[in-house]
Structure formats: structure tokens, C-alpha cells
Amino acid sequence: MVDGQPAGVGPLRLELTVPCDLRFRPLLEVMCERMASYVGYPRVEARTLAETVAEATAGAFSESGPRAYAGLSLSFATSDREMEIRVRYLRSDQARRAGQPGAECCTLTRPLPDRSR
């Protein structure tokens, strides 16, 4: 075991792609919070990470006007030292026909919590 990790547990990767439909917004928040909790963040920190992702993706779920994004693709990945959450904003066909790039991306990287406690 290294730093209190269970033997045999290595890097983790999880990907989730959803349409930009308000029904999926709670799913994204729950997935973010559960993933952060699973890798060892205390409950308050896991909730803060989920809220950060919710804020970063709020514009994709806008109900007013045409949607620039068709979907969101989230990936969660851990290494020995950090967790990375990457959000890709997938453009709608209409936005791509208007000459906008196919996707935009933002990444949140946090050190993993101390697991030796």
C-alpha cells in the first residue's frame, strides 16, 4: 500500500456525456460529488467541487435563446497525486454550421486528499 491506498487500486477514469437538457443537470452534480467522495475528498470539499462544475456548466443549460451547445462531456481522472475534471462543451450542429469550433474545454485539477490518515 502507498499513502494508505488499498492494494491494487490504480489510476481511475470515468467519462459521462449528456445532452444540454435541464433534466441532466442534477445528474452531473451528483456524479461530480460522488466521484470526489469516492477518491477521498471530505464531504464538504466534494460538494464544493460539484458546485464548481455546476457553475462552469450553467451556461450550457440556458433556457433562453438558441443553444450553442448540444451536450457536455465530463471526464474524471486520477493519477497518483491529483484528480482532474475536464468539461468539454460540445457544439450544436447549428453552431458548427455558423463556423464555431466543434468543442470548447475547461479543466479543473486538484491535489488528491492526504490518504495516509
Side-chain angles (χ1 to χ4, degrees):
M1 293 203 299
V2 177
D3 291 332
Q5 295 178 17
V9 174
L12 177 66
R13 183 167 182 84
L14 175 70
E15 294 189 34
L16 174 68
T17 302
V18 298
C20 288
D21 182 314
L22 282 173
R23 295 176 297 165
F24 292 98
R25 192 161 185 209
L27 174 66
L28 293 177
E29 283 192 58
V30 168
M31 286 294 299
C32 291
E33 187 171 353
R34 289 189 130 190
M35 184 65 178
S37 292
Y38 182 78
V39 298
Y41 291 97
R43 187 176 189 174
V44 172
E45 286 184 58
R47 183 72 208 135
T48 299
L49 282 168
E51 289 169 353
T52 301
V53 172
E55 288 176 28
T57 59
F61 293 102
S62 174
E63 292 182 313
S64 61
R67 289 197 176 136
Y69 304 108
L72 292 170
S73 177
L74 270 75
S75 66
F76 304 89
T78 62
S79 65
D80 292 339
R81 296 190 173 126
E82 63 187 17
M83 179 176 74
E84 176 184 279
I85 301 173
R86 177 167 290 168
V87 180
R88 290 184 65 229
Y89 304 86
L90 308 173
R91 293 275 185 198
S92 67
D93 289 338
Q94 181 181 8
R96 278 183 274 169
R97 282 193 296 273
Q100 296 176 353
E104 295 179 63
C105 181
C106 71
T107 304
L108 170 66
T109 304
R110 295 277 315 257
L112 286 174
D114 182 12
R115 298 185 206 181
S116 61
R117 294 180 213 167

